[in-house]
Amino acid sequence: MPRAFNFSAGPSAIPEEVLREAAAEMLDYKGSGMSVMEMSHRSQAYQAIIDDAEATLRRIMAIPDNYRVLFMQGGATLQFAAVPMNLMRGRHAGYLVSGNWSKKAWLEACKYGQADVLASSEDTSFDRVPTLASPVDQGLDYVYLCQNETVYGTMYHDLPDTGGVPLVADLSSMFLSCPVDVSRYGLIFAGVQKNAGPAGNTIVIVRDDLLGDVPALGDVVPTYMGYRLQASKGSMYNTPNTWGIYLCGKVFHWIEESGGLVAMRERNWKKVNRLYDYLDQSALFSPLAQGPSRSIANVTFRAPSPELDAAFVAGAAERNIVGIKGHRVLGGLRASCYNAVPAKAIDALLAYMADFESTRADAADAADNPSNANANATSPSALPRSS
Amino acid sequence: MPRAFNFSAGPSAIPEEVLREAAAEMLDYKGSGMSVMEMSHRSQAYQAIIDDAEATLRRIMAIPDNYRVLFMQGGATLQFAAVPMNLMRGRHAGYLVSGNWSKKAWLEACKYGQADVLASSEDTSFDRVPTLASPVDQGLDYVYLCQNETVYGTMYHDLPDTGGVPLVADLSSMFLSCPVDVSRYGLIFAGVQKNAGPAGNTIVIVRDDLLGDVPALGDVVPTYMGYRLQASKGSMYNTPNTWGIYLCGKVFHWIEESGGLVAMRERNWKKVNRLYDYLDQSALFSPLAQGPSRSIANVTFRAPSPELDAAFVAGAAERNIVGIKGHRVLGGLRASCYNAVPAKAIDALLAYMADFESTRADAADAADNPSNANANATSPSALPRSS
């Protein structure tokens, strides 16, 4: 079977070179006589693996020395609790609600203190990112956002000005898609299963001064979830997901050897802009995200009816195109174009879209489709284009 | 490099057949054109993988229908908090403290309510498992124990009588080493990185009636940690460690095809009894666990001095024997003989021990070693022997 054109939102495509290396090392990692999965996390051999993974990530992201890097388990969902449990010292934070994930994070934070919604785009069905209308209360413990909304396909291209309040960002679906200035954030976290490796690790990058001696919620925080403790133990207070970290390290090297995050950004905008360009002129498909908020990774769109969406998904499978069904809370279609999705996958998807559209011309003409493509189109200059 | 003789306490040896299959499927799982790591957890293909893993585990453990099986992340350490957070409805539980792990679990529970130590063997340096001296208060939410102590090499061969109070057991290092009667427990959990797969999944097996509509500690429990929610979502409230579950499924099949847990028990007792027999007659090495408490998995022992322990570890590496250094809290030596450790690894270790001892006869004679081998020996009939 040829490799699939995999547009899954996560878990998602992993560079083929990484998979080949992992397969080759499966029974004997570098002369150790064992798989990395069989190796004690306390062994020198494994310590070298996790150290190298962290060091490579620090290089490709240019992470300043005053930030700690943690490899944790439990996904972004566990971080939705870990963030307030660790950081909400004044029991008061602000949330920007741009979609499914930031809304979940906000609801979780409400368990632990006062979590104000500073801005929301729910009234426009999360088709754009909401922005701050007024200066941030400088007494907040942090301001939270999800910088790239995987479900709705939106993205913050510019960070809000929070004054001196630390910015906490869920970067999951744009993590390593492009450079970010780490020093602008107090804390970044990201599930790795988009651009960084297999599901089962969440990377937390947190500024030293935000870690008190104990978590904000003190003794009721599960020990596992204490950032300070995990940092002091090099992410090995207990056994980490050793295989996942090993794979992440390989992906980090692949990124570095492929030109780093600047190259990733160029490639990714080039890929998604081809799709956005097609959608903006299509008579059948409608893009779902407003132009200035469009994502570098997740291209959301729909056909004029759920039936046509389903037909599109079914037909895609016959062309070895997978993972293009939209998230269940939104429906429609979605093509996630992470780092490991090659340009030829975009070729295949565009060719299929054009073929599908040409055979459904009647459907497009008949569709009552007020939110059609042109309504959401922006001029090319308004879109980030390879930059 | 030949495969190492891997006695690591966890992560630990995985059956070679499982590793070969995983390597062969790395770039194309059963014609899907992708690795399992790249597959959406919401895909039919992945659903089949997790369903098969659970079904196979249910068969090999004979798990009754009124128990739920969860695949969670965060290790046993996160369960130390999840157990009281979910189950401590009366804010009162009892703990049996038999070593490092149950002590940590007890300390964690103390954050969330009253956790009484019902029995402890700390006064004898955890060289045996403590037993209940009096009937259990029937008002307790649960009684907790760690059935096999990985650090100290002890094991409960019989479960305490808790009356009607649910028994919660950390089975990590004996999970799938031998049959257990699941119906005797209210909840079992186990980090899988001993006998069941790569680090990064913890399996929770919990009786339906212990799951209320909400966790015991209500709304302050991180959503991820709610057993009821995870059960209702088939362990996929959020993205699980998909690769780890896939590997666990393969290991479950390997166990089933190797004769199931009865065969594992026979093989494991045969392996460890060969080591215990050697230790009981050795003039150099001393076993650390009292005979009636000895583990089916973790054989702990030491030479007369830390220097000799270190020399033994160093020499072992030259014979491709790895993972025999004792846990840092206890020191000494430890051979963990999980399912995937073959009999020939025991041959190699015994041969090395004998050679080492013969060249250190002087050390043995000179050692001031009151806790020598014979002091801990029990008659063969007192030990579980292949049963």
Side-chain angles (χ1 to χ4, degrees):
Chain A
M1 183 72 172
R3 294 268 295 159
F5 300 120
N6 184 358
F7 292 97
S8 292
S12 49
I14 290 176
E16 195 170 322
E17 299 91 318
V18 166
L19 296 175
R20 287 190 193 284
E21 274 186 29
E25 293 171 349
M26 183 67 84
L27 276 92
D28 181 16
Y29 175 76
K30 297 189 175 175
S32 64
M34 61 179 87
S35 169
V36 171
M37 286 187 279
E38 302 178 289
M39 203 172 269
S40 169
H41 58 302
R42 305 291 179 198
S43 64
Q44 287 185 346
Y46 191 75
Q47 190 65 53
I49 289 172
I50 190 171
D51 287 348
D52 180 68
E54 178 177 337
T56 311
L57 181 66
R58 284 184 174 275
R59 283 197 305 276
I60 62 178
M61 289 188 74
I63 299 173
D65 289 345
N66 62 324
Y67 284 75
R68 301 296 190 104
V69 174
L70 311 178
F71 294 93
M72 296 184 71
Q73 299 179 58
T77 298
L78 194 62
Q79 294 306 314
F80 295 166
V83 164
M85 282 183 150
N86 279 277
L87 304 186
M88 209 189 246
R89 294 187 187 278
R91 300 287 193 279
H92 193 192
Y95 278 69
L96 294 166
V97 176
S98 61
N100 190 62
W101 301 110
S102 41
K103 190 170 178 181
K104 285 192 179 214
W106 165 66
L107 287 168
E108 190 83 351
C110 290
K111 295 179 181 176
Y112 305 110
Q114 182 179 340
D116 300 338
V117 175
L118 303 181
S120 169
S121 53
E122 191 158 16
D123 59 343
T124 59
S125 301
F126 298 126
D127 67 344
R128 68 200 74 183
V129 295
T131 51
L132 291 172
S134 54
V136 167
D137 173 357
Q138 296 298 297
L140 295 178
D141 293 314
Y142 59 84
V143 170
Y144 180 103
L145 57 77
C146 175
Q147 197 168 342
N148 188 86
E149 228 308 326
T150 325
V151 172
Y152 294 89
T154 62
M155 178 181 183
Y156 282 92
H157 299 285
D158 299 302
L159 294 176
D161 178 6
T162 62
V165 177
L167 185 66
V168 171
D170 174 1
L171 257 63
S172 296
S173 49
M174 62 173 278
F175 187 64
L176 306 183
S177 276
C178 56
V180 296
D181 179 355
V182 176
S183 71
R184 296 284 307 277
Y185 305 82
L187 185 148
I188 288 168
F189 70 84
V192 303
Q193 69 271 22
K194 322 291 188 178
N195 277 312
N201 271 292
T202 311
I203 291 175
V204 178
I205 302 171
V206 57
R207 213 173 61 208
D208 260 342
D209 62 283
L210 297 179
L211 305 177
D213 290 338
V214 293
L217 270 65
D219 279 349
V220 304
V221 177
T223 300
Y224 178 82
M225 294 170 70
Y227 291 147
R228 164 65 73 196
L229 179 69
Q230 290 287 5
S232 73
K233 300 292 186 184
S235 302
M236 297 213 278
Y237 172 71
N238 64 337
T239 316
N241 174 348
T242 51
W243 168 265
I245 295 169
Y246 156 73
L247 262 283
C248 284
K250 286 191 181 297
V251 173
F252 301 158
H253 278 289
W254 176 85
I255 290 172
E256 189 169 46
E257 288 154 15
S258 305
L261 296 183
V262 170
M264 294 298 126
R265 177 177 61 193
E266 300 293 321
R267 285 164 50 165
N268 288 327
W269 278 122
K270 194 166 172 183
K271 288 186 296 186
V272 296
N273 279 335
R274 291 177 65 199
L275 293 173
Y276 291 133
D277 286 346
Y278 181 86
L279 292 169
D280 286 340
Q281 62 74 48
S282 170
L284 185 76
F285 296 105
S286 310
L288 298 179
Q290 292 290 323
S293 289
R294 284 179 180 167
S295 165
I296 190 173
N298 313 97
V299 179
T300 52
F301 56 106
R302 62 168 41 119
S305 70
E307 292 71 27
L308 275 179
D309 287 340
F312 186 75
V313 170
E318 293 166 16
R319 295 181 182 222
N320 208 17
I321 294 168
V322 302
I324 55 160
K325 192 175 170 187
H327 190 277
R328 63 195 182 285
V329 308
L330 180 63
L333 302 160
R334 175 175 54 178
S336 297
C337 305
Y338 299 126
N339 291 344
V341 175
K344 67 183 177 186
I346 311 295
D347 300 341
L349 179 57
L350 282 170
Y352 173 50
M353 291 173 82
D355 287 354
F356 188 88
E357 182 161 351
S358 70
T359 62
R360 262 74 171 188
D362 293 348
D365 293 341
D368 177 19
N369 185 14
S371 67
N372 69 22
N374 293 333
N376 280 346
T378 55
S379 70
S381 63
L383 268 174
R385 302 194 77 83
S386 304
S387 65
Chain B
M1 182 76 171
R3 295 268 295 158
F5 300 121
N6 184 358
F7 291 96
S8 292
S12 48
I14 291 177
E16 194 170 324
E17 300 91 317
V18 165
L19 296 175
R20 288 190 190 284
E21 273 186 29
E25 292 171 349
M26 183 67 83
L27 276 93
D28 181 15
Y29 175 76
K30 295 189 178 175
S32 65
M34 62 179 87
S35 170
V36 171
M37 286 188 278
E38 302 178 289
M39 204 173 267
S40 170
H41 59 300
R42 305 292 179 198
S43 64
Q44 287 184 347
Y46 191 75
Q47 190 65 52
I49 289 170
I50 190 170
D51 286 349
D52 180 69
E54 178 176 337
T56 311
L57 181 65
R58 283 183 175 278
R59 283 197 306 277
I60 61 179
M61 288 188 73
I63 299 173
D65 288 344
N66 63 326
Y67 285 74
R68 301 298 190 102
V69 175
L70 310 178
F71 294 93
M72 296 185 71
Q73 300 179 58
T77 299
L78 194 63
Q79 295 306 314
F80 295 166
V83 163
M85 281 184 151
N86 278 277
L87 304 186
M88 209 188 245
R89 294 186 188 280
R91 302 285 193 279
H92 194 190
Y95 278 68
L96 294 166
V97 176
S98 60
N100 189 61
W101 302 108
S102 42
K103 190 169 179 182
K104 285 191 181 218
W106 165 66
L107 287 169
E108 190 82 349
C110 289
K111 296 179 182 177
Y112 304 111
Q114 182 179 343
D116 300 338
V117 175
L118 304 180
S120 169
S121 51
E122 192 160 13
D123 58 343
T124 59
S125 303
F126 298 126
D127 67 344
R128 67 199 75 182
V129 295
T131 51
L132 292 172
S134 53
V136 167
D137 172 358
Q138 296 298 297
L140 296 178
D141 293 314
Y142 58 85
V143 170
Y144 180 103
L145 57 77
C146 175
Q147 197 169 341
N148 188 85
E149 227 311 324
T150 325
V151 172
Y152 295 89
T154 62
M155 178 182 181
Y156 282 93
H157 298 285
D158 299 301
L159 294 176
D161 179 6
T162 61
V165 177
L167 186 66
V168 171
D170 173 0
L171 256 64
S172 297
S173 48
M174 61 172 279
F175 187 63
L176 306 182
S177 277
C178 56
V180 297
D181 179 355
V182 176
S183 72
R184 296 282 308 277
Y185 304 83
L187 185 148
I188 287 169
F189 70 85
V192 303
Q193 68 271 22
K194 320 290 188 180
N195 276 313
N201 272 291
T202 311
I203 291 175
V204 178
I205 302 171
V206 56
R207 213 173 62 207
D208 260 344
D209 63 283
L210 297 180
L211 306 177
D213 290 338
V214 294
L217 268 66
D219 279 347
V220 303
V221 178
T223 301
Y224 178 83
M225 294 170 70
Y227 291 146
R228 163 65 74 196
L229 179 70
Q230 291 287 5
S232 73
K233 300 291 186 183
S235 302
M236 296 212 278
Y237 172 71
N238 64 337
T239 316
N241 175 347
T242 52
W243 168 266
I245 295 168
Y246 155 75
L247 262 283
C248 284
K250 286 191 181 296
V251 173
F252 301 157
H253 278 288
W254 176 83
I255 289 173
E256 189 169 47
E257 288 154 17
S258 305
L261 296 183
V262 170
M264 293 299 125
R265 177 178 59 194
E266 300 294 320
R267 287 164 47 164
N268 289 326
W269 277 124
K270 194 164 171 184
K271 288 186 296 185
V272 296
N273 280 337
R274 290 179 65 200
L275 293 172
Y276 291 134
D277 286 347
Y278 180 85
L279 292 169
D280 285 339
Q281 61 74 47
S282 171
L284 184 75
F285 296 105
S286 312
L288 297 180
Q290 293 291 324
S293 289
R294 285 179 179 169
S295 165
I296 190 174
N298 313 97
V299 179
T300 51
F301 56 106
R302 61 167 43 117
S305 72
E307 292 70 28
L308 275 178
D309 288 338
F312 186 75
V313 171
E318 293 166 16
R319 295 182 181 221
N320 209 18
I321 295 170
V322 302
I324 55 160
K325 191 176 168 186
H327 190 278
R328 62 196 181 285
V329 309
L330 180 61
L333 302 160
R334 174 175 56 179
S336 296
C337 305
Y338 299 126
N339 291 343
V341 175
K344 66 183 176 186
I346 311 296
D347 299 342
L349 179 57
L350 283 170
Y352 172 50
M353 291 172 80
D355 287 355
F356 188 88
E357 182 161 355
S358 70
T359 61
R360 261 77 172 185
D362 292 348
D365 293 342
D368 176 21
N369 185 14
S371 65
N372 70 20
N374 292 334
N376 280 346
T378 55
S379 71
S381 62
L383 266 176
R385 302 195 74 85
S386 306
S387 66

